[in-house]
Amino acid sequence: MNIKDYGFFYGTEILAAGAIPARIIAVHRGRYGIVSEYGEGSAQLKSREYYYEGETFPTVGDFVLIDHNTEGDSRIIKTLERKTFFSRRDPDKGRGEQAIAANFHVVFIIQSLNHDFNPKRLERYLTAARQSGAEPVIVLTKADLTDDYLPYYLEVSRVAEDVKCHIVSAKTGYGMEELYPYFENGKTLVFLGSSGVGKSSLVNALAGEEIMDTSGIREDDSKGRHTTTHRELIMLKCGAMIIDTPGMRELGMWDVTSGLGDAFSDVEEIVQKCKFRDCRHGSEPGCAVRAAIETGELDPARFESYMNLKREAKYSGDVTERRIQKTEFYKNVAMKKKNKNKVIY
Ligand code: GDP
Ligand code: ZN
């Protein structure tokens, strides 16, 4: 096995003496499924580097350096710098980020052409995708369920004019060939979309094999198999790879703050022209937003989704903040109690 087949893109200068490059294909309770020139295996973090020296914890898709061990678990000694990644606020640590997938080239944003279609959610996914650094591609599935997809297509063009959009049906095969070019050798792909939109059907149809369970529950999850058989980064026959992790399915929790400007750069540009920096775009004089809406330059619906997303981003931040404060509060209470019970002689 050549690690380059798995998309290894670094120069040889990063290879410390004796270290073997590997890619993380699964994460399970502190153990990692890896693939290297020795094939698939399992590994653990080397304590000194990770727990004392603060090396970035690896996630699925990461390229790492290992001390290979033929007998048992190899030791991971370094996480190589990520080209792209998704992260969310770390639920265990309060502050801080937790990466949930790394080093993918394309993010397929999936919505189905029925009740799931939702431009607001699309915008949110786009924000997350752009934030990751990878190329977003919109895929509208279940084309067989609608007679007329032009309105959907136009809606997509409105929220994401510079993003490619494909209309497909995994059931009839309609439009599927348009997606083949993305499945290049050594490329890694991820899928974003609510459950039931047809992600698994799409992946299976494109891979030509049953990669994902279309009943919604992946066998691997329910049986909790060993790390080496439980794969979250899956190599397809065509040589492309897909990443499918539980974290990827929880998009709703993600912090979207920093990618906001990108998805709504046109709106932000207008907002910056308001006379007052704290303009609330109501009756303030010199409000560029109001002016742009009046002239038709800015779609009021688009402005509303911008504001919604902004509120949401702020809100998701506040939730974390509240949790931190709550923990601090209880810690203080516990401490005071302890001190109170202390008998001082
Ligand atoms: P996932 O949860 O996003 O992985 O969605 P699945 O692939 O499991 O599909 C959810 C449901 O939608 C299943 O009942 C599929 O049979 C159905 N489905 C998937 N793709 C299509 C499609 O192109 N057309 C139609 N009509 N149904 C589809
Ligand atoms: Zn304004």
Side-chain angles (χ1 to χ4, degrees), residues 57-335:
F57 279 46
T59 189
V60 176
D62 264 326
F63 289 101
V64 295
L65 295 182
I66 59 164
D67 269 340
H68 177 70
N69 184 356
T70 40
E71 307 284 284
D73 281 0
S74 293
R75 288 282 178 266
I76 303 175
I77 50 182
K78 189 175 175 56
T79 307
L80 298 176
E81 200 181 325
R82 297 164 179 148
K83 213 169 191 174
T84 64
F85 65 96
F86 275 127
S87 69
R88 64 172 172 199
R89 284 166 191 278
D90 190 333
D92 295 330
K93 297 202 184 113
R95 277 173 221 272
E97 296 270 297
Q98 180 188 37
I100 52 180
N103 298 318
F104 41 86
H105 301 86
V106 176
V107 179
F108 284 111
I109 295 170
I110 320 277
Q111 292 211 327
S112 64
L113 286 168
N114 52 3
H115 49 263
D116 179 70
F117 185 79
N118 178 330
K120 287 220 171 82
R121 194 173 326 122
L122 195 64
E123 276 167 358
R124 191 158 61 163
Y125 288 155
L126 268 170
T127 304
R130 286 185 161 122
Q131 218 173 329
S132 77
E135 184 197 357
V137 173
I138 296 167
V139 181
L140 302 180
T141 58
K142 307 193 188 180
D144 56 288
L145 292 183
T146 174
D147 297 329
D148 184 13
Y149 47 69
L150 190 62
Y152 296 104
Y153 195 79
L154 292 176
E155 189 66 29
V156 170
S157 316
R158 195 179 62 80
V159 297
E161 56 177 340
D162 55 334
V163 178
K164 288 197 203 95
C165 173
H166 303 281
I167 293 171
V168 306
S169 166
K171 197 172 173 187
T172 64
Y174 177 85
M176 296 291 279
E177 73 286 348
E178 285 180 20
L179 302 181
Y180 294 154
Y182 297 106
F183 286 70
E184 257 180 279
N185 228 327
K187 287 276 154 74
T188 305
L189 319 163
V190 296
F191 294 79
L192 278 185
S194 355
S195 101
V197 292
K199 288 184 298 293
S200 313
S201 307
L202 198 69
V203 170
N204 292 342
L206 288 163
E209 54 188 315
E210 288 292 310
I211 300 281
M212 285 163 103
D213 185 351
T214 50
S215 67
I217 303 160
R218 284 188 46 207
E219 252 182 277
D220 283 354
D221 293 344
S222 51
K223 288 188 190 152
R225 293 189 206 159
H226 190 260
T227 22
T228 50
T229 54
H230 166 86
R231 296 182 190 86
E232 295 170 325
L233 182 145
I234 302 151
M235 174 62 86
L236 307 179
K237 282 185 202 143
C238 62
M241 290 149 278
I242 56 167
I243 294 179
D244 177 39
T245 66
M248 288 289 310
R249 294 175 224 138
E250 292 170 18
L251 176 77
M253 299 294 292
W254 293 351
D255 176 15
V256 288
T257 330
S258 56
L260 205 58
D262 231 26
F264 288 94
S265 51
D266 54 330
V267 182
E268 296 245 287
E269 219 169 274
I270 295 169
V271 169
Q272 271 160 22
K273 287 188 202 140
C274 288
K275 189 167 168 199
F276 299 107
R277 215 202 267 166
D278 58 350
C279 182
R280 301 172 77 163
H281 322 301
S283 53
E284 290 88 345
C287 174
V289 169
R290 231 173 42 243
I293 289 175
E294 267 159 35
T295 60
E297 188 199 336
L298 176 63
D299 179 353
R302 187 161 161 72
F303 180 65
E304 205 191 306
S305 27
Y306 166 80
M307 292 303 281
N308 283 342
L309 201 53
K310 230 178 137 157
R311 264 194 292 274
E312 210 169 297
K314 183 167 173 291
Y315 181 67
S316 83
D318 287 351
V319 170
T320 313
E321 194 50 44
R322 267 207 302 279
R323 196 182 311 125
I324 294 166
Q325 286 172 1
K326 211 166 131 189
T327 319
E328 288 298 316
F329 173 77
Y330 283 116
K331 240 198 255 160
N332 282 338
V333 170
M335 211 130 78

